[in-house]
Amino acid sequence: MSDPNPHHVGVTVADLDRAVDFYTETFDLDVAAEFAVGGEAFADAVDVDGAAADFAHLVAGEGETETIVELVAYEPEGERTPAPALNRPGAIHLGLSVDDVGEFFRDLDDDVETLSRPRTTESGTTILFVVDPDGNLIEVLDA
């Protein structure tokens, strides 16, 4: 058995174009690929009858730290998850590091929702949680 390697982090969204705009404008991520997948094998793999999806792969980082952020919009669209809360078992979030969380926060568009202002935790790390248009949480932390 081969050792697993990171490939991507998937984020399910309702409107792919809106999500791509948000992630490229807010986090300055680059679009690496856009594609669609459907068919019986895909529907079986994701366990959703008749599923098809549109995807966008965005690049975060570079070199050894490069990660693909996979945005995916499904048809049929499922029910929305409850409001974001990090303390729910099964909750996930995307983590992105920046050079200066305070500067990142000051540069955010006024309409970008956050859970709070940047906070420095007991560990000495400054963090900020941003909420995307679909309620997905993105932790922004010092590099």
Side-chain angles (χ1 to χ4, degrees):
M1 179 171 152
S2 64
D3 292 333
N5 291 303
H7 184 269
H8 70 270
V9 174
V11 179
T12 301
V13 299
D15 182 321
L16 188 62
D17 291 334
R18 178 182 70 184
V20 167
D21 287 347
F22 175 82
Y23 282 85
T24 58
E25 292 171 12
T26 304
F27 298 102
D28 200 27
L29 303 183
D30 295 320
V31 177
E34 294 183 88
F35 55 97
V37 178
E40 187 177 332
F42 178 72
D44 286 347
V46 298
D47 195 26
V48 176
D49 288 337
D54 292 318
F55 293 82
H57 281 184
L58 309 178
V59 179
E62 54 189 49
E64 290 184 19
T65 65
E66 182 176 290
T67 299
I68 298 296
V69 176
E70 179 180 84
L71 303 177
V72 56
Y74 284 91
E75 285 294 328
E77 185 176 310
E79 293 181 29
R80 290 199 175 269
T81 57
L86 293 164
N87 64 338
R88 290 187 177 136
I92 62 166
H93 67 274
L94 169 64
L96 297 173
S97 62
V98 298
D99 290 333
D100 185 324
V101 174
E103 180 180 342
F104 176 86
F105 177 72
R106 288 187 295 278
D107 290 343
L108 281 176
D109 288 342
D110 291 339
D111 61 341
V112 174
E113 181 183 352
T114 63
L115 296 184
S116 71
R117 298 179 62 79
R119 297 290 184 244
T120 302
T121 66
E122 291 177 355
S123 69
T125 302
T126 301
I127 63 173
L128 167 72
F129 278 89
V130 174
V131 183
D132 83 2
D134 290 294
N136 297 302
L137 295 173
I138 304 103
E139 180 180 9
V140 180
L141 61 153
D142 287 331

